[in-house]
Amino acid sequence: MSLETITKNNVTSLAELVKLRQPVVSDGAILNPIRDRHQARLDELALPTTRDEAWRFTDLSQLTQVEFTAAPSPEVELQQIEINLLREAPESRLVFINGVYRDRLSNRQGLPEGLYAGNLGELPPEQKAKLENYLAKQPGQEDVFTALNNASFQDVAVIWLRRGTVLETPLQLLFVSVPGEQAMLTQSRCLVVAEANSHLTLVEEHLSTVEGCPDAQAVAYLNNAVSEIWLEDNADVTHVRLQRDNGSAFHIGKTAVTQARDSRYACHTLNLGSQLSRHNLDVYQTGPGTETTLNGLTLIGKAQTSDSHSTVIYDHPNSTVNQLHKCIVGDKGHAVFDGRIVVMKKAQLTNANQLNRNLLLSPKARVNTKPQLEIVADNVKCSHGATVSQLEADEVFYLQSRGLDKTTSQNLLVDAFAAEILQEIPIKSLQTAIAQCVACRTISY
């Protein structure tokens, strides 16, 4: 079997996909042992199927019908990605092309002293000596696609804030997939370490160089992305994760977060692209007094499938978690929400709220929702729920009675549904861009 190409009949195990891995581009002394260790485990793993409980609503059989090749290293000009750059972060961005850092496209002039942002190869010796405590050390490394990333990543985006460091402007992290003539496998990897009393706003974006909306058709690829985020005592991280890979892509994402005492983590996930996407968000508590905010918006249509799984595990007292995830599903789209909050016996005086709201814009649109609370502690305030609805006819009629046509009335209601999530994003230009995307795409539903 060729090491560059896996035929469609052979994509049955992750051990076969890992044969597409490319050599590391930064610090093989650190990455190669991790890759080799996890490659050995892949012999025992296979692609998940709908028989697996965690994947019963998401069918990966489409992956087995694609002939993947190793990701190339194309040349990309700044003009090709310029439209995606945040005006709030002109001098604080990192750009990775097919999983590999490109310094020429990045800009780090606005970074303060005490913050390292770049790839693993340039990491200062002081942090590199501590790296073994963080890289590939989050719980959940046994997940099949996480193991594939561990066995295959070429490079790592590293964002390391020393104690007390505050970044006033957002830091933009662009993972750009550049499809070639054949379908490819690309591995995106990010490590964030926020030491005590530090603060960061991170915008993590996954996109391709295909022009037009994320649902534009192009050559397929699989983007397997993993981000590990560590918050030490009293650290504060706001994380915006935007997935808008092209409409032929497969996107499998994992975000694993560990929160120490009195830390605050807010995640705003936006899922727009890919023919099939899955994001696993896992949050683990290692100290009391933590605050966790999870907001999510899924906007899909055509025959897209978007699966959002989350797990929050609290094992210490006096903490809060607030989760709101909304799905707007049109045409033949299929959305999945599976949220799990676990409150252990030691997590007394915890306040947990979880809500999933879904709006179906077409008779053929569908959603599977499963909010879950698992509570062992006895002195807590917890709630959860889910709603699935269509646009209310009386609300549409009310707007029409004020002189608006039916389509405009429907789009206004959809805009209002999404606005509750978008207004929480702390970056104005990104709010505006996604709001325009919502308005543009709902017109066709």
Side-chain angles (χ1 to χ4, degrees):
M1 186 190 309
S2 168
L3 297 188
E4 282 99 22
T5 302
I6 301 297
T7 64
K8 62 180 67 176
N9 295 324
N10 287 327
V11 185
T12 56
S13 76
L14 301 178
E16 291 159 351
L17 281 175
V18 81
K19 294 176 183 177
L20 300 176
R21 73 179 188 174
Q22 301 280 56
V24 299
V25 298
S26 64
D27 214 318
I30 292 176
L31 295 188
N32 281 328
I34 296 175
R35 284 167 36 126
D36 294 343
R37 184 168 65 251
H38 288 272
Q39 181 181 4
R41 300 178 57 192
L42 289 174
D43 293 330
E44 305 171 0
L45 301 175
L47 288 171
T49 70
T50 53
R51 296 178 182 178
D52 299 295
E53 177 63 24
W55 291 85
R56 66 191 182 107
F57 296 122
T58 303
D59 186 1
L60 292 177
S61 61
Q62 298 173 73
L63 275 175
T64 68
Q65 305 304 312
V66 178
E67 184 177 328
F68 288 101
T69 62
S73 299
E75 289 299 323
V76 175
E77 298 301 323
L78 186 62
Q79 292 81 354
Q80 293 177 259
I81 61 172
E82 200 166 18
I83 192 173
N84 302 295
L85 303 184
L86 294 177
R87 66 167 180 260
E88 292 91 345
E91 296 184 334
S92 54
R93 71 171 180 269
L94 304 177
V95 179
F96 283 69
I97 303 297
N98 289 350
V100 177
Y101 178 64
R102 296 293 178 87
D103 185 67
R104 183 173 58 86
L105 303 175
S106 304
N107 191 327
R108 298 181 287 178
Q109 297 179 17
L111 301 183
E113 185 177 353
L115 168 62
Y116 171 78
N119 74 341
L120 178 62
E122 300 176 356
L123 187 65
E126 177 186 347
Q127 281 95 355
K128 193 170 290 189
K130 304 175 183 177
L131 197 64
E132 64 179 14
N133 298 321
Y134 299 103
L135 185 59
K137 292 296 184 180
Q138 288 276 7
Q141 299 299 313
E142 69 279 0
D143 293 349
V144 289
F145 284 101
T146 302
L148 174 62
N149 189 289
N150 287 335
S152 306
F153 56 10
Q154 290 182 266
D155 207 351
V156 182
V158 180
I159 300 163
W160 198 305
L161 293 94
R162 294 180 180 174
R163 179 183 294 267
T165 301
V166 175
L167 180 60
E168 300 291 349
T169 59
L171 174 61
Q172 186 177 24
L173 174 58
L174 286 172
F175 287 111
V176 183
S177 297
V178 184
E181 297 181 355
Q182 294 178 279
M184 68 177 184
L185 169 66
T186 180
Q187 310 273 3
S188 306
R189 189 61 177 243
C190 175
L191 173 67
V192 178
V193 179
E195 294 186 4
N197 305 311
S198 61
H199 172 77
L200 170 72
T201 296
L202 173 66
V203 181
E204 175 190 347
E205 298 187 47
H206 297 266
L207 63 148
S208 81
T209 52
V210 175
E211 295 184 0
C213 292
D215 59 358
Q217 298 300 306
V219 176
Y221 59 87
L222 169 59
N223 179 10
N224 182 32
V226 174
S227 295
E228 297 178 288
I229 302 176
W230 300 84
L231 287 83
E232 297 185 355
D233 293 355
N234 200 41
D236 186 351
V237 173
T238 298
H239 179 203
V240 181
R241 188 184 194 275
L242 174 57
Q243 185 275 114
R244 47 181 176 177
D245 284 304
N246 77 43
S248 300
F250 302 90
H251 180 99
I252 307 295
K254 170 70 171 287
T255 302
V257 183
T258 294
Q259 290 188 249
R261 174 188 294 270
D262 298 323
S263 62
R264 296 165 299 283
Y265 175 72
C267 185
H268 309 279
T269 59
L270 304 166
N271 300 306
L272 281 72
S274 304
Q275 60 169 309
L276 185 151
S277 64
R278 164 79 172 236
H279 181 226
N280 295 310
L281 173 58
D282 299 334
V283 181
Y284 306 93
Q285 183 197 42
T286 61
T290 60
E291 297 178 16
T292 307
T293 302
L294 307 179
N295 293 319
L297 176 65
T298 295
L299 173 65
I300 57 173
K302 295 189 176 179
Q304 288 177 279
T305 296
S306 181
D307 186 342
S308 298
H309 270 60
S310 64
T311 301
V312 181
I313 299 179
Y314 273 5
D315 197 23
H316 296 270
N318 298 298
S319 298
T320 62
V321 54
N322 290 290
Q323 181 175 25
L324 174 61
H325 191 96
K326 291 189 172 186
C327 300
I328 302 173
V329 189
D331 203 2
K332 298 179 182 179
H334 177 206
V336 179
F337 172 79
D338 189 310
R340 177 171 170 252
I341 297 177
V342 181
V343 183
M344 307 296 284
K345 187 174 183 179
K346 295 180 181 179
Q348 303 294 334
L349 300 174
T350 288
N351 189 337
N353 299 287
Q354 180 187 69
L355 179 61
N356 173 224
R357 297 183 61 197
N358 304 279
L359 183 61
L360 304 184
L361 303 178
S362 162
K364 295 183 179 180
R366 60 194 177 103
V367 63
N368 296 100
T369 178
K370 186 181 177 183
Q372 305 171 68
L373 284 178
E374 300 177 18
I375 305 171
V376 180
D378 54 13
N379 187 8
V380 298
K381 294 174 63 177
C382 298
S383 65
H384 69 152
T387 63
V388 181
S389 64
Q390 298 175 327
L391 293 176
E392 296 290 342
D394 56 346
E395 294 178 351
V396 175
F397 175 77
Y398 174 82
L399 293 174
Q400 287 183 276
S401 70
R402 295 301 186 268
L404 300 178
D405 60 62
K406 184 177 180 179
T407 299
T408 302
S409 300
Q410 292 172 331
N411 288 336
L412 277 176
L413 293 173
V414 174
D415 292 347
F417 184 84
E420 188 177 4
I421 299 295
L422 298 183
Q423 67 186 6
E424 297 298 321
I425 299 174
I427 302 158
K428 189 63 178 179
S429 66
L430 196 55
Q431 280 188 22
T432 302
I434 302 303
Q436 290 174 345
C437 189
V438 172
C440 177
R441 296 180 69 178
T442 54
I443 288 173
S444 62
Y445 291 154

